[in-house]
Every structure is written in C-alpha cells, then in structure tokens.
Amino acid sequence: MVGLETVESASAAQKQRGSEGLGELFAAVRSRLGLVVLLLVLAGLAWWATVNQMAGMDAGPGTDLGAVGWFIGVWVVMMAAMMFPSVAPTVALYARMTRLRSPMRPLLFAAAYLVVWAAVGLVSYGLFEVGKTWFGSQLAWTAGGRWVVAAVLGVAAVYELTPLKNVCLGKCRSPLGFLLGNWRDGETGAVEMGAKHAAWCVGCCWALMAALFALGVMSLIWMAVVAALIAAEKTIPWRRPVVWGTTALLLALAVMVVVAPRDVPGLVVPGSAGMSTMGTMH
C-alpha cells in the first residue's frame, strides 16, 4: 500500500509540474505574441500617420524635405512603419528572455532602435540639403537628375552582393544569435542592445534607404516597396533568392529611369502632369 501511495503521489506531482510547465509555456507564447501584435499595431498606426502627413505632397525625386524638425518627425514615424514588422521577432524574443526582470526593457530596446534611425534621418537630411545647395542646377531632372537616380539605384544593387551587406543581414536575420552575442543586462543594457541592433540594421539597409531618397522619399508607393524588400530580406527563409531578386529589381529600375522613366510604375517624373505643385526638383 505504501509503495502504491508513493507511486500515485509521484505521478500526481509529475502531472502538476507538467501542468505548470505547460501553463508557463502558454503564458510566454501569449506574452510574446502580444508584444508582436503591439509592434504591428504601432507600425499600422505609423503607416496611417504617414499617409496623412504626406497627403498631397510632391512624391517625386528631389522633393523639398521641409524644415528639419518636421522632416525628422515624419522620418521617425516612417521608420516605425517600415522597420517594426521586421524587428518585431527580435524585440519579442528579448522580451521573453527578460520577462521576469523588467517589462520596460523591450520598450527601451525599441526606443533606442528608433533613436539610431532618427540620427540616420538627420544625417541624410544634411547630405541632401548640402547636395541641393552645391549642385542644384546639375541635379535638375532635365540635366543630370535621372543619371544621379540611376547611379544611386546601381550602387544600391551592387551593395546587395557585398560581404558587408551579407554580415549585417546575417545579424538582422538571427534574433537569438544577436541577443546572445551582444547581451547586456539592465535598462542601460536594453538601450545599448537596441542601438547596436539598429546599427546592424543601418548597415544592412542604408543602400535601400538611399534608393528611397532617389526615387522619392515622400512617395508612399516607394516607401511601401522598400519596406517590403527590407522585411523580405530579414524574414523570408530563402535568403539568397530574395537578395538576388532585390538586386535584379534595383538594376532594372536603374536602367528604366534612364531609358524610359515615365514607364516606371509609381515614379513621379519631375515636370510631368502627375507632379504636385507643392515641391519641385532643384
């Protein structure tokens, strides 16, 4: 009898542990899914805000970026819309790994990620304005404008196949590898890791962002295309075909911009009937 009671007790304890373990698993899945949903909802709101902010604006190459404060505000919203879907798995995994320490750490991670991209936007704004001031007439679409756009697209295509792109993309595609290789504890660590992940992301995506500036940084169509390319490269299992597909698309666009710019879907050619009067190509 004693032996039977012992066996029954052990069996009950094992079932209880199994039930508790299953409950923890479901709780972790719900928590991770909830954070992913939150980030996707924020991305959706950012897209909605971007659509409203850009309504009626010039969507062609070389459009005026406006005041620096306004542009950075729009840029940060754009980055949230474009990047949150692809960075969500990393943030969710980080939240899972720190769930017993601080619920604020994933938010600090995401905030630091956006701050780095805000800095990239500020640098891009400066370079754009300097180029417009120094080479304004040479960059007119009827002068060298279309050739500059084609050159930027060509550089972006070549960069897709470089070792640096490969390394940076590898970091972005492996959330667990990045977190284990760059782990820092505490709230300060969350900020540092978010900034470092953003730095790898910049290394991976800067050329695609340059292509977005070339095609029309205020164009919702090109913003969506570049966002889709970034998400595909970071999340789709077939890495090499996606990278080669992106390269082919950028090269095709580079050729078409020179040969037949009006036939490029979604491209607002400066001076055409579809060009908004709110901005002009300098």
Side-chain angles (χ1 to χ4, degrees), residues 27-141:
V29 170
R30 286 197 301 270
S31 176
R32 183 172 178 177
L33 181 61
L35 183 59
V36 171
V37 170
L38 174 61
L39 290 175
L40 293 180
V41 168
L42 291 175
L45 291 174
W47 276 103
W48 174 80
T50 303
V51 171
N52 286 337
Q53 289 173 325
M54 294 184 179
M57 291 190 63
D58 168 17
T63 182
D64 185 19
L65 300 183
V68 61
W70 181 88
F71 172 77
I72 294 302
V74 174
W75 176 262
V76 170
V77 174
M78 286 173 57
M79 292 304 99
M82 296 175 68
M83 297 299 181
F84 272 3
S86 59
V87 80
T90 302
V91 179
L93 181 59
Y94 178 66
R96 173 76 178 91
M97 297 169 71
T98 60
R99 72 188 188 282
L100 300 178
R101 296 167 187 166
S102 171
M104 284 298 297
R105 292 186 188 179
L107 298 179
L108 291 172
F109 186 105
Y113 183 90
L114 280 181
V115 167
V116 172
W117 274 109
V120 171
L122 185 60
V123 172
S124 301
Y125 182 93
L127 292 175
F128 186 91
E129 291 299 312
V130 168
K132 185 175 67 174
T133 301
W134 290 359
F135 308 104
S137 60
Q138 294 93 321
L139 295 179
W141 186 260

Side-chain angles (χ1 to χ4, degrees), residues 1 5-7 14 21 26 36 48 50 81 83 97 134 140 145 149 167 198 212 217 254 270 275:
M1 291 292 293
E5 291 177 356
T6 302
V7 171
Q14 184 177 5
F26 284 144
V36 171
W48 174 80
T50 303
M83 297 299 181
M97 297 169 71
W134 290 359
V149 172
V167 171
L212 175 60
V217 70
M275 191 77 170

Side-chain angles (χ1 to χ4, degrees), residues 146-187:
R146 70 170 67 184
W147 294 98
V148 173
V149 172
V152 171
L153 293 171
V155 169
V158 172
Y159 183 71
E160 287 290 311
L161 305 179
T162 62
L164 180 57
K165 166 75 177 192
N166 185 58
V167 171
C168 294
L169 182 58
K171 298 290 185 180
C172 294
R173 287 177 59 90
S174 178
L176 181 59
F178 168 79
L179 292 173
L180 292 180
N182 299 274
W183 188 264
R184 299 291 186 275
D185 207 2
E187 280 69 25

Side-chain angles (χ1 to χ4, degrees), residues 219-239:
S219 168
L220 289 170
I221 294 176
W222 291 115
M223 178 181 163
V225 169
V226 171
L229 292 175
I230 290 172
E233 288 189 347
K234 291 184 177 181
T235 59
I236 291 180
W238 306 283
R239 172 175 174 171

